[in-house]
Amino acid sequence: MRTYLIDNDKNEIIIDLTRTTVHSHELVEFEYSAVRDNEIVQKENIFVRKLAGRYFSSTDNKRWTRLAKQNLPTHILNVDTIYKVFRGYKPSGLSGGNDGELLTQMPGKVVKIQVEKNQEVKAGDTVLILEAMKMENEIKSAVDGIVKEVHVKEGDALDQGVLMLEIEPK
Amino acid sequence: MTNELVGKTTSPKRILIANRGEIASRVAKACRELGHTAIGIWTDNEIHARHLEFCDEWVHLQGMTNAETYLNIPNILKVIKENKVDAVHPGYGFLSENADFADALKEAGVVFIAPHAEAIRVMGDKATSKTLAKEAGVPVVPGSSAAVETVAEATKIADQIGYPVLLKAVAGGGGRGMRACHNESEIKSNFEAVQRESESAFGNGDLLVEKLIVNPRHIEVQIMADKKGNVFHFFERECSIQRRNQKVIEEAPSPFIGDDEDVRQKVCQTAVKLAEAVKYDSAGTVEFIMAEDKSFYFLEMNTRIQVEHPITEEITGIDLLVCMIQSAFGEDLGIPNQEFIKRSGHAIECRICAEDPITMLPAPGKVTGFETNFPQGTRFDNCIFKDLEVTPDFDPMIGKLVTKGINRTIAIRKMMCALDGLHIEGLKTNIPLHKVILREENFIKGNYSTAYIATIKPQEKVTTQFDYLRIFNKLAGIEANRMGL
């Protein structure tokens, strides 16, 4: 699962969750990688332990710090910058294309297409699943509208920047 | 009978708290503890007003803006009537220093938990408060008492009070229309420039000459008085760490006064003298500016409970809000004499604000997560909760973090640990700035003036680098929550 963090200046941070291991009812381990220019720049295992209703995190399953429990937020803070959070997809509007044009953000393989031509979709609906870097990414519509054209089919291997789908915004 | 034995009130009153946020909580706690009924207000602009959880009764005040609600005297009077309110506590800000409100309450036969209207009125005006201070023998910043017309007149006054002096616009404010002059020739070269500047900025070219206090310290004295004429001081606080003339970090006692008990006594006695001169009868604060030679001058008196009152409560062990309520009802404060009030140790308060840690500008937003993990003895007066929307309608201060130690070093150590244990997610806060200041050499030595933020620039030392590990941790927590861990 890929998470995009995008600030107001459209600077983009890409973080991949590459593995989830459930150790017990109280302990989960995640493997996170930060990706820049298709290269992993930092990779860490993060343990989350539930203790008396609260969350604590650790990189070594020994040394713990308290975490503020959050639902999936729309934004996340780094000192003096607020990043918008897009979990599993990046709205195409933020990558230069029109709002209704879905382009590949990285090379990948089309696993599943969940919409048909002329179908009505809502912003945030998953329209297509793309497998990239051994992960499935849900590609979601950034707008309410009607599917104007589907340019790819399941099983297609795509390069970066390929137009996959066009949605006519309402 | 039990009530009397444990110091609760024998005549319970209905107290309306005409405020919101952390101070409304603080007042409600004092009311409840004493056995009074705390009545809290919520408005259409803040449906999830967390301060209500400490109030016994909740009243809805219609309206979205502060002008329609917390500042609306007729509406508040209506609420008072409908709810059979005996007394009103104004907190700080809003109507707390409004003499007209004090008059209106008096007319309605309702107790205002504040000083009498005349004290509010006199101290609320810069000119009348200064005149009163002078009459009471309280030192004020030396300078011209009226507008200065010519360079010759200005230099004459400067010779009398001594250089450096400040040429400043009568109508000035916010640092504009002001210039420091260190000798006669500087007065000559600056006089017309400041005149022109003031004329264009404020439409008034009148100038004053005032002694320039180099590296001033902001020192203030907590006062508490009852209705029987007893005026007590609760020692001083130092609030020199400021931005835009607003305090950021406060300490009690003052590290600048330090062990100089003579100066401490002098400042505190002077504050008492001023309070006595207005027949003060509630909680208040006398603010002074202190020069490097520890000479001090009266700035103003705040006729309300102040934001930073907790540090005084911490070093004296006396609940100022409780005293303020008891005083308003003419009750005994339980303080037999000044010597009864003792201080021990050192307390520090960091104001936690929803603002950019570098520009220090307000940054409204939504709190997406909130957790604390504090060292022993930490006090956090706040109204924060997960999903709190911080709107631009109110002050960006969302909490006050207070630590106390047997000495200043330990108070700082505890504060560093407390700041590390304060987790507020989803909006910008000044927590990173506090962490820098608490580790900065001049602050640690207690060697700082009101120019600290402008000259030391701690905000430039805030690390803004993207910290992947920290973000991984946050995302892991979010993911775990999604999974239902």
Side-chain angles (χ1 to χ4, degrees):
Chain A
M1 176 60 64
R2 174 163 282 198
T3 300
Y4 298 88
L5 305 179
I6 301 172
D7 71 9
N8 274 341
D9 299 325
K10 297 196 178 178
N11 295 313
E12 175 179 291
I13 307 274
I14 297 171
I15 293 165
D16 286 336
L17 171 59
T18 39
R19 201 175 64 230
T20 303
T21 315
V22 178
H23 291 289
S24 72
H25 285 303
E26 283 76 36
L27 184 67
V28 194
E29 183 186 353
F30 302 101
E31 185 188 81
Y32 277 106
S33 316
V35 180
R36 199 188 298 144
D37 303 324
N38 288 324
E39 298 274 339
I40 292 177
V41 289
Q42 194 171 341
K43 189 171 179 175
E44 303 280 351
N45 282 22
I46 310 286
F47 293 84
V48 177
R49 168 77 150 82
K50 188 170 156 184
L51 180 83
R54 293 197 154 102
Y55 286 167
F56 289 77
S57 71
S58 171
T59 51
D60 57 6
N61 201 4
K62 275 185 191 156
R63 196 183 171 89
W64 300 93
T65 47
R66 186 175 284 187
L67 278 177
K69 219 178 213 181
Q70 295 185 76
N71 302 334
L72 184 60
T74 55
H75 50 282
I76 207 164
L77 172 74
N78 183 63
V79 190
D80 68 334
T81 312
I82 300 279
Y83 289 88
K84 285 200 180 80
V85 179
F86 299 97
R87 188 179 172 278
Y89 77 106
K90 183 170 79 168
S92 53
L94 290 170
S95 59
N98 296 327
D99 278 357
E101 293 180 353
L102 295 177
L103 296 124
T104 49
Q105 301 302 322
M106 60 193 135
K109 196 171 109 183
V110 180
V111 178
K112 198 161 190 278
I113 298 171
Q114 299 196 330
V115 292
E116 290 172 6
K117 196 175 163 176
N118 296 327
Q119 187 180 327
E120 205 175 314
V121 291
K122 287 207 157 56
D125 282 357
T126 302
V127 292
L128 189 145
I129 293 173
L130 192 72
E131 188 193 85
M133 301 184 71
K134 294 181 185 159
M135 281 183 313
E136 290 196 353
N137 290 281
E138 297 176 14
I139 309 295
K140 300 187 181 193
S141 174
V143 293
D144 292 348
I146 305 233
V147 178
K148 195 170 137 197
E149 197 63 68
V150 181
H151 296 288
V152 294
K153 58 182 190 298
E154 287 179 8
D156 278 0
L158 309 175
D159 268 336
Q160 190 174 345
V162 173
L163 181 65
M164 296 178 285
L165 237 140
E166 281 177 74
I167 294 161
E168 180 100 47
K170 255 201 257 183
Chain B
M1 188 60 201
T2 336
N3 276 0
E4 261 180 285
L5 287 176
V6 298
K8 279 178 113 171
T9 182
T10 47
S11 79
K13 300 287 196 314
R14 296 173 55 75
I15 301 175
L16 180 75
I17 300 160
N19 215 304
R20 58 172 291 283
E22 66 87 19
I23 193 62
S25 301
R26 176 69 189 88
V27 176
K29 286 176 189 172
C31 294
R32 184 176 277 189
E33 179 191 326
L34 285 168
H36 298 297
T37 298
I39 307 171
I41 289 175
W42 64 282
T43 71
D44 297 323
N45 193 19
E46 194 183 21
I47 291 159
H48 299 284
R50 208 195 124 199
H51 60 262
L52 293 177
E53 73 184 42
F54 303 98
C55 296
D56 301 300
E57 293 181 22
W58 306 354
V59 174
H60 176 220
L61 206 55
Q62 263 186 356
M64 288 298 283
T65 65
N66 293 335
E68 290 168 345
T69 55
Y70 294 107
L71 293 169
N72 188 333
I73 296 178
N75 257 8
I76 290 177
L77 289 174
K78 206 174 122 216
V79 164
I80 287 168
K81 213 170 169 189
E82 284 169 0
N83 292 276
K84 301 191 169 58
V85 167
D86 300 309
V88 175
H89 197 298
Y92 51 69
F94 295 134
L95 296 174
S96 61
E97 287 167 289
N98 190 313
D100 295 340
F101 185 54
D103 286 339
L105 290 179
K106 196 171 181 186
E107 205 168 296
V110 175
V111 173
F112 193 30
I113 306 177
H116 59 89
E118 191 51 27
I120 298 175
R121 203 160 267 136
V122 169
M123 289 305 174
D125 184 294
K126 271 204 160 44
T128 58
S129 65
K130 233 176 169 177
T131 310
L132 182 113
K134 271 187 199 163
E135 284 168 10
V138 172
V140 298
V141 178
S144 58
S145 43
V148 176
E149 309 262 317
T150 63
V151 174
E153 215 179 313
T155 49
K156 199 179 139 201
I157 292 169
D159 284 338
Q160 283 167 8
I161 60 176
Y163 288 97
V165 296
L166 196 65
L167 276 181
K168 65 179 213 180
V170 171
R176 285 187 306 168
M178 257 188 217
R179 221 167 274 197
C181 303
H182 296 83
N183 48 50
E184 198 180 325
S185 72
E186 281 188 22
I187 290 189
K188 276 181 189 149
S189 59
N190 283 327
F191 197 85
E192 282 182 29
V194 181
Q195 253 180 346
R196 275 196 306 274
E197 216 174 279
S198 326
E199 180 67 44
S200 71
F202 313 109
N204 180 346
D206 287 351
L207 298 188
L208 294 174
V209 180
E210 212 171 63
K211 189 167 177 63
L212 174 69
I213 312 292
V214 182
N215 290 329
R217 266 75 175 180
H218 178 110
I219 307 284
E220 57 184 37
V221 178
Q222 175 70 51
I223 294 291
M224 179 66 69
D226 61 20
K227 296 226 187 278
K228 299 161 196 156
N230 295 306
V231 179
F232 304 113
H233 73 77
F234 283 62
F235 303 99
E236 85 287 359
R237 297 185 284 259
E238 179 165 351
C239 322
S240 301
I241 308 272
Q242 303 184 352
R243 53 113 175 81
R244 295 193 298 276
N245 292 320
Q246 279 183 313
K247 297 155 191 166
V248 180
I249 299 178
E250 299 101 341
E251 301 189 58
S254 155
F256 183 62
I257 295 177
D259 295 332
D260 198 335
E261 286 304 321
D262 288 348
V263 171
R264 175 164 293 117
Q265 281 306 318
K266 224 169 122 194
V267 176
C268 294
Q269 293 308 333
T270 305
V272 169
K273 197 159 69 180
L274 181 72
E276 281 171 345
V278 277
K279 299 195 167 52
Y280 207 74
D281 60 349
S282 185
T285 300
V286 184
E287 298 193 333
F288 296 98
I289 185 167
M290 190 174 272
E292 283 189 310
D293 63 359
K294 296 201 176 118
S295 59
F296 56 89
Y297 308 98
F298 169 68
L299 269 185
E300 59 177 2
M301 181 169 189
N302 294 318
T303 53
R304 54 173 153 83
I305 192 76
Q306 274 188 300
V307 171
E308 61 272 26
H309 74 274
I311 52 175
T312 299
E313 294 184 326
E314 292 301 312
I315 63 160
T316 59
I318 298 175
D319 189 318
L320 294 171
L321 262 309
V322 161
C323 287
M324 202 178 173
I325 294 167
Q326 288 173 327
S327 164
F329 295 129
E331 291 168 11
D332 201 75
L333 304 184
I335 300 170
N337 51 46
Q338 180 65 54
E339 289 65 42
F340 179 82
I341 305 163
K342 294 194 171 58
R343 66 184 174 90
S344 85
H346 194 98
I348 297 182
E349 173 181 275
C350 286
R351 295 192 185 192
I352 307 300
C353 301
E355 65 182 28
D356 188 292
I358 295 157
T359 64
M360 289 172 264
L361 293 172
K366 188 175 177 180
V367 175
T368 56
F370 171 52
E371 268 295 339
T372 60
N373 208 0
F374 290 146
Q376 191 62 41
T378 305
R379 169 172 174 179
F380 189 41
D381 287 19
N382 74 92
C383 253
I384 305 171
F385 57 95
K386 185 169 162 286
D387 296 329
L388 166 71
E389 296 259 12
V390 179
T391 66
D393 303 324
F394 304 121
D395 192 276
M397 193 187 79
I398 52 174
K400 309 185 305 204
L401 191 58
V402 179
T403 58
K404 191 209 168 175
I406 193 66
N407 59 36
R408 188 168 183 266
T409 309
I410 292 171
I412 292 176
R413 183 177 79 202
K414 277 186 183 281
M415 183 57 82
M416 284 174 171
C417 184
L419 286 166
D420 286 338
L422 176 57
H423 308 282
I424 302 172
E425 298 293 347
L427 46 62
K428 295 189 215 180
T429 71
N430 59 353
I431 297 170
L433 177 65
H434 283 306
K435 287 181 181 173
V436 170
I437 297 174
L438 267 283
R439 283 164 177 77
E440 198 276 325
E441 199 188 334
N442 291 287
F443 179 80
I444 290 174
K445 287 181 180 163
N447 173 29
Y448 58 80
S449 74
T450 55
Y452 179 84
I453 285 184
T455 52
I456 305 289
K457 294 189 170 59
Q459 65 274 27
E460 290 179 359
K461 297 186 192 87
V462 173
T463 316
T464 59
Q465 204 189 358
F466 194 88
D467 183 345
Y468 282 111
L469 186 57
R470 191 168 53 212
I471 297 291
F472 288 168
N473 277 286
K474 288 186 188 185
L475 290 176
I478 293 163
E479 206 63 36
N481 198 19
R482 254 179 60 85
M483 291 167 64
L485 180 75

